[in-house]
Amino acid sequence: MTESSLLRELGQVSNAEVGEVFREFLRGSIVKMACEVMAAEVAELCGPKHAPSDCRTYRAGSAAGRILVEGERESVTRPRVRERQEAGGSREVELISYAAANDPEQLEKAVIQALMSGVSTRQMSVVKPKSPGVSRSSVSRLWQEAGTRLIDELRSRDLSGHTWCILMLDGIRLSSDQTAVVALGIDSEGCKHVLDFALGSSENAVVSNELLARLARRGFTCSQRLLAVLDGSDVLRKAVKEHFPDSVIQRCLVHKERNIRGKLSKRHTGELARLFRRLRSVQGYTAAQEVVGELEAFLEPLNAEAFKSLHEAGEDLLALHRLEVPNTLHRSLLSTNAIENSFLNTRRRLGRVTRFRADTDQASRWLSYALLEAEKGFHRISGHKELPKLIAALAREHAATPTKPPSGPVPSPTAPATARAPSL
């Protein structure tokens, strides 16, 4: 179809058919271009047509063939080329252009995208009737191969090339018997990175230590103390302290507010939210202590369990305030919202999966895909320009850490010698 015939065709169809006419025109243009490229390659291999040549390769007619256009088959007439052998006879020469036009990568991407968008393996042949290899078994094998590559892509990334300063850990429940602990790192530029995950029945010590040990092997280190933002899990806190003994642990204030809210009646939740908003916005440790005092005064006469929950976090509640960093960093670092937002996007992509088989790597494949897709939408954290001050504060904390006193009795200072009184 030429451009003039395209314009005539568009003038004779309804608006609803315009899109299909354009797509047909584009497919025809791609097929024509592919044939021209194959003809050019044949001319390069065999020389000009109808001209004698001493080349070992020669034209051998043509045959019916197919190429992939947007993941769908299109019929073409492919030229054939053969090469003379020294021992006699000849062999078929595969055209590079024809192989490229049949590259399955574009089909794989289209099938995987459809699968991730909610199309079942049974319906793939209905969605892409002209595409090869879209049977249920073929799509399943394709997803297994693609998912395995995604796991390798996530876990093979070298982490030593970044200057890390913040680590966030949280768990996401995949099924009744599978939970993933996910690690998200923030570098000195404020960029967020999905680091890794580990699967288990719960957020237990084995899973947490496996995850952190793998991060360490891949080069996750920091020259200053690490700031770890956690949701309040004792297991995660213990694992972080085991691998980063001098780390600063910040308790997620959103989780803490949520825990306290669950113990109060609805008429008191407004005041609780107001006080926690103040706590997240105030500058410095002294101002934060004042807000905590107001929270204590508010909760103590209302509910003993809520008052106890406030103090359960201990020093981790105001760890970031204690560092005296600008409060522009509070929005990003006083909660695990950065990783929770990743979980929100992950759940959207995993919503159609009703059962994860623990005896396969199915959960790892789906989770790798969902986390890598969520990472594509990451932005730098709020207040990232103030991160050098946070790193400096963590370094000062590291320098101010008291050394362990020597074992054994401490020798008393030597007393100055005194003159003996003369005997009488």
Side-chain angles (χ1 to χ4, degrees):
M1 182 184 292
T2 63
E3 293 184 10
S4 59
S5 62
L6 171 66
L7 294 174
R8 287 196 301 270
E9 183 73 18
L10 289 178
Q12 299 173 5
V13 300
S14 63
N15 291 336
E17 297 173 310
V18 169
E20 181 58 34
V21 172
F22 264 115
R23 285 191 292 271
E24 182 182 350
F25 173 74
L26 291 175
R27 286 194 296 268
S29 299
I30 294 173
V31 170
K32 180 182 177 182
M33 181 183 65
C35 293
E36 291 175 352
V37 172
M38 286 189 287
E41 184 181 358
V42 171
E44 184 178 351
L45 291 172
C46 305
K49 197 172 184 179
H50 306 303
S53 174
D54 296 333
C55 297
R56 295 177 58 184
T57 54
Y58 60 93
R59 291 174 173 83
S62 61
R66 290 175 176 176
I67 64 172
L68 290 175
V69 179
E70 296 182 349
E72 296 184 353
R73 287 192 182 110
E74 292 290 342
S75 298
V76 297
T77 300
R78 64 177 182 88
R80 295 178 60 200
V81 175
R82 296 190 70 84
E83 182 182 17
R84 299 181 180 91
Q85 301 293 305
E86 294 180 357
S90 63
R91 69 174 185 87
E92 186 85 13
V93 176
E94 183 182 10
L95 297 180
I96 298 175
S97 54
Y98 184 70
N102 283 282
D103 184 7
E105 183 178 355
Q106 56 172 314
L107 174 61
E108 291 180 4
K109 290 181 179 179
V111 171
I112 294 300
Q113 188 62 43
L115 189 65
M116 297 302 102
S117 299
V119 179
S120 68
T121 55
R122 296 183 181 91
Q123 296 175 326
M124 196 65 66
S125 58
V126 178
V127 175
K128 293 188 170 296
K130 294 185 178 181
S131 299
V134 292
S135 65
R136 179 183 177 186
S137 57
S138 298
V139 173
S140 296
R141 285 193 300 269
L142 176 62
W143 170 231
Q144 288 177 7
E145 296 171 1
T148 301
R149 290 197 298 270
L150 291 172
I151 298 173
D152 295 338
E153 177 186 346
L154 178 62
R155 290 181 172 167
S156 62
R157 294 191 289 192
D158 183 16
L159 304 181
S160 61
H162 298 270
T163 303
W164 301 106
C165 54
I166 301 156
L167 174 68
M168 292 188 180
L169 295 175
D170 203 354
I172 177 172
R173 192 79 170 173
L174 301 177
S175 63
S176 59
D177 57 351
Q178 280 194 299
T179 297
V181 178
V182 181
L184 183 142
I186 302 175
D187 60 25
S188 58
E189 301 295 324
C191 298
K192 296 176 287 187
H193 306 264
V194 175
L195 302 178
D196 205 343
F197 64 88
L199 290 170
S201 59
S202 62
E203 295 180 15
N204 54 60
V206 174
V207 174
S208 305
N209 282 293
E210 173 194 342
L211 174 60
L212 291 175
R214 192 159 58 230
L215 293 181
R217 288 194 300 269
R218 291 171 52 198
F220 184 85
T221 58
C222 52
S223 56
Q224 73 288 329
R225 300 180 76 186
L226 177 70
L227 174 65
V229 186
L230 308 177
D231 64 351
S233 169
D234 292 335
V235 172
L236 293 181
R237 189 185 194 283
K238 184 177 179 180
V240 170
K241 281 297 184 180
E242 181 175 341
H243 290 268
F244 301 94
D246 61 350
S247 58
V248 176
I249 307 294
Q250 171 62 50
R251 182 70 173 269
C252 174
L253 296 188
V254 173
H255 280 83
K256 177 50 64 180
E257 179 185 354
R258 191 181 302 159
N259 293 341
I260 296 176
R261 187 191 305 123
K263 304 177 187 301
L264 299 178
S265 61
K266 289 185 178 180
R267 66 177 182 274
H268 297 125
T269 56
E271 178 65 12
L272 179 71
R274 184 188 70 82
L275 290 173
F276 266 94
R277 281 197 301 269
R278 280 192 57 203
L279 183 59
R280 288 190 291 267
S281 63
V282 295
Q283 172 71 51
Y285 183 56
T286 302
Q289 283 182 309
E290 293 178 0
V291 179
V292 171
E294 294 182 31
L295 276 166
E296 291 174 342
F298 170 67
L299 294 174
E300 188 172 14
L302 290 179
N303 190 294
E305 289 298 319
F307 183 77
K308 181 180 177 181
S309 178
L310 176 66
H311 290 277
E312 174 267 334
E315 295 182 353
D316 295 351
L317 193 69
L318 302 181
L320 190 63
H321 291 91
R322 191 176 290 107
L323 294 175
E324 300 289 346
V325 296
N327 60 0
T328 50
L329 288 168
H330 290 183
R331 179 179 177 183
S332 300
L333 304 183
L334 282 179
S335 70
T336 56
N337 280 352
I339 197 168
E340 289 286 347
N341 291 337
S342 302
F343 288 169
L344 179 63
N345 293 326
T346 298
R347 289 188 181 95
R348 288 172 180 167
R349 289 176 170 83
L350 302 184
R352 63 176 297 272
V353 184
T354 57
R355 183 173 69 95
F356 286 99
R357 295 181 57 185
D359 58 333
T360 68
D361 64 347
Q362 179 194 15
S364 296
R365 284 187 273 117
W366 279 94
L367 193 56
S368 296
Y369 166 79
L371 290 174
L372 288 173
E373 285 295 308
E375 188 182 54
K376 294 177 181 178
F378 281 176
H379 301 283
R380 291 199 286 184
I381 65 171
S382 300
H384 60 86
K385 294 182 180 179
E386 305 294 346
L387 281 175
K389 296 180 181 178
L390 171 65
I391 295 174
L394 291 168
R396 286 197 299 271
E397 282 278 325
H398 180 69
T401 302
T403 57
K404 185 178 180 181
S407 58
V410 179
S412 57
T414 304
T418 55
R420 294 180 63 185
S423 58
L424 298 176

